[in-house]
Amino acid sequence: MSKIQLTAEQKKQLKAAAHALNPVVIISENGLSANVIKEIDNNLKAHELIKIRVFGDDKNLRQQYLEEICQKLNCIAIQTIGKILIVYRPNPNKAKNSANSTNSKSGKNAKNGKKLTKKDYQND
């Protein structure tokens, strides 16, 4: 698998999106077990961007966990804030589904891709 490359702007947007998220996986004193890795993988498939809470006061151990998660699951570390790790892995299936669906709330006209105005909504 190829290493994920993000621009500074993309990382900035992911950090902003992660702000409202709650941790979905917790790593306790038992460490990074196979079940925890599997749970992180499942959440990355479902959400792409997740927060992971790590219990314990050892900063170096948290950094090791983050590196191991990124290596095993081919994801990228977006940010660490205290005991919270934020990781991202794009889901290619999710991108295909969202590109194929036409969502009227997207603010774009499906026919020509132009941004819709207030008048466009009123004429429907």
Side-chain angles (χ1 to χ4, degrees):
M1 290 187 160
S2 64
K3 183 76 174 151
I4 301 167
Q5 298 292 326
L6 295 176
T7 65
E9 184 63 30
Q10 289 171 321
K11 268 193 164 184
K12 184 178 175 183
Q13 290 173 349
L14 289 170
K15 285 179 185 181
H19 181 73
L21 299 178
N22 291 320
V24 293
V25 178
I26 297 174
I27 302 173
S28 66
E29 291 83 23
N30 297 337
L32 201 57
S33 66
N35 287 336
V36 173
I37 292 287
K38 183 179 176 183
E39 192 63 28
I40 293 170
D41 187 40
N42 289 339
N43 279 288
L44 283 169
K45 285 178 186 173
H47 304 292
E48 294 183 338
L49 180 68
I50 63 169
K51 281 186 178 179
I52 303 166
R53 180 178 300 277
V54 181
F55 288 122
D57 295 327
D58 189 356
K59 186 176 183 178
N60 294 328
L61 186 60
R62 288 193 301 266
Q63 188 62 34
Q64 287 175 351
Y65 286 160
L66 181 62
E67 290 170 4
E68 188 175 344
I69 290 167
C70 291
Q71 179 190 18
K72 286 185 176 181
L73 300 177
N74 193 35
C75 59
I76 186 167
I78 299 299
Q79 187 175 26
T80 57
I81 305 169
K83 297 179 181 184
I84 303 289
L85 313 175
I86 302 171
V87 294
Y88 171 75
R89 182 179 68 193
N91 184 345
N93 296 334
K94 199 172 189 179
K96 289 177 186 175
N97 291 342
S98 64
N100 292 337
S101 66
T102 54
N103 187 354
S104 62
K105 294 182 181 179
S106 69
K108 298 266 183 176
N109 186 337
K111 292 179 184 174
N112 57 17
K114 289 185 181 177
K115 185 137 177 86
L116 295 174
T117 64
K118 188 175 179 180
K119 286 185 179 184
D120 293 327
Y121 285 107
Q122 291 172 343
N123 293 334
D124 286 343

